[in-house]
Amino acid sequence: MDAAWAEAEQPVVGIIERACTDDSDDAGTRLLRVDNGLEGLVSDHGGTIARGTLEDVLETDPSLMVAAGASTLSAIARADPDAPVLPVGDIVGLETVNRDVLPDALAVALAGDATIRQRSVLGVDVDDGTTRDGNNTPARALFDVTLVTDEPARISEYGVSSRGESVATFRADGVVVATPAGSRGYASAVDAPQLSSAVDAVAVTPIAPFVMQTCQWVLPEDELTLTVERNDTPVRLVVDDRPAETVPVDTAVTIAADGALSTLSVPDLESE
């Protein structure tokens, strides 16, 4: 549900320069490490800027955050902050701000003229335990959750259940579960249905299925279970492109809505 974002007194604007200390540079995060006049703009609104890693910024209790790149947005979703985020740059599936108009967009937000939009986040558990990715972070997905064979073109058999009832079993290289935001990214390459952010649902799609004609499903975002029914090679759980763990045969992977990421939307701004 959309809601107006209230102007904050003495706002703290968190600029996420990278998701964590050991993140490699990319064009998205680099654009936020340049002097683009944001300090003066925020000062004019009685606020301050906090720059650094996501962890550094969250320690300052920011009023709002500015972040670029899908991996950084995923990291913010895993951290589950109270502050909304203004996404910058090209992030498929999310409404973002062009880097050229970032100062104008931030000025709109600081004036209280931005809208908060809630983006579904999925929590992932394996056999009722809290699943963690390779960096020991609780597995939460802003875009998608995937089961896929460790070796390319090695088919396994997967099962999908929703609210305790079997939906299908099929042979494929893997299966992807995508949020509305994720349904426009990698999932779209495997012909997943594209979902509106207004629906509380996920798109579930086999990856390289064994049969030419197969189904894709739009299912409720609660009580969804994936299982590996049979495999000839290990099957990996991947959450927003981050490997989590190997999933044995007959092990239940439970996926359900786990809060939301608040993003800020501003009126269309023309770049110069």
Side-chain angles (χ1 to χ4, degrees), residues 20-221:
C20 59
T21 305
D22 59 356
D23 273 358
S24 59
D25 276 358
D26 61 52
T29 55
R30 282 200 302 272
L31 73 86
L32 297 181
R33 291 205 291 274
V34 300
D35 182 8
N36 47 18
L38 297 183
E39 275 76 5
L41 169 67
V42 174
S43 178
D44 289 343
H45 284 80
T48 57
I49 281 184
R51 290 181 177 271
T53 66
L54 173 59
E55 183 178 14
D56 293 336
V57 167
L58 290 178
E59 287 179 353
T60 69
D61 192 20
S63 308
L64 66 91
M65 294 180 288
V66 179
S71 62
T72 304
L73 267 291
S74 293
I76 295 172
R78 289 192 298 274
D80 194 20
D82 292 328
V85 57
L86 180 64
V88 181
D90 186 13
I91 305 174
V92 176
L94 293 179
E95 183 179 350
T96 63
V97 169
N98 188 294
R99 59 177 295 181
D100 297 331
V101 297
L102 174 56
D104 293 333
L106 185 55
V108 170
L110 290 172
D113 294 326
T115 300
I116 291 180
R117 293 186 174 166
Q118 302 296 334
R119 310 294 180 176
S120 294
V121 175
L122 302 175
V124 186
D125 290 330
V126 176
D127 265 353
D128 297 324
T130 299
T131 301
R132 295 180 177 269
D133 63 19
N135 291 329
N136 201 33
T137 304
R140 302 178 79 236
L142 177 62
F143 297 105
D144 50 50
V145 179
T146 305
L147 286 179
V148 64
T149 55
D150 269 354
E151 297 180 31
R154 296 296 297 270
I155 291 175
S156 296
E157 186 170 332
Y158 300 91
V160 178
S161 299
S162 178
R163 295 182 174 176
E165 295 188 4
S166 176
V167 174
T169 58
F170 50 85
R171 297 177 66 196
D173 281 0
V175 56
V176 58
V177 177
T179 66
S183 70
R184 288 164 171 75
Y186 166 74
S188 68
V190 293
D191 297 324
Q194 292 196 2
L195 305 181
S196 165
S197 59
V199 301
D200 297 328
V202 292
V204 182
T205 306
I207 301 170
F210 181 67
V211 296
M212 294 299 295
Q213 292 184 335
T214 189
C215 294
Q216 300 86 32
W217 303 272
V218 175
L219 298 173
E221 61 178 8

Side-chain angles (χ1 to χ4, degrees), residues 253-269:
V253 178
T254 303
I255 301 169
D258 186 20
L261 175 69
S262 299
T263 63
L264 287 173
S265 173
V266 299
D268 289 340
L269 298 168

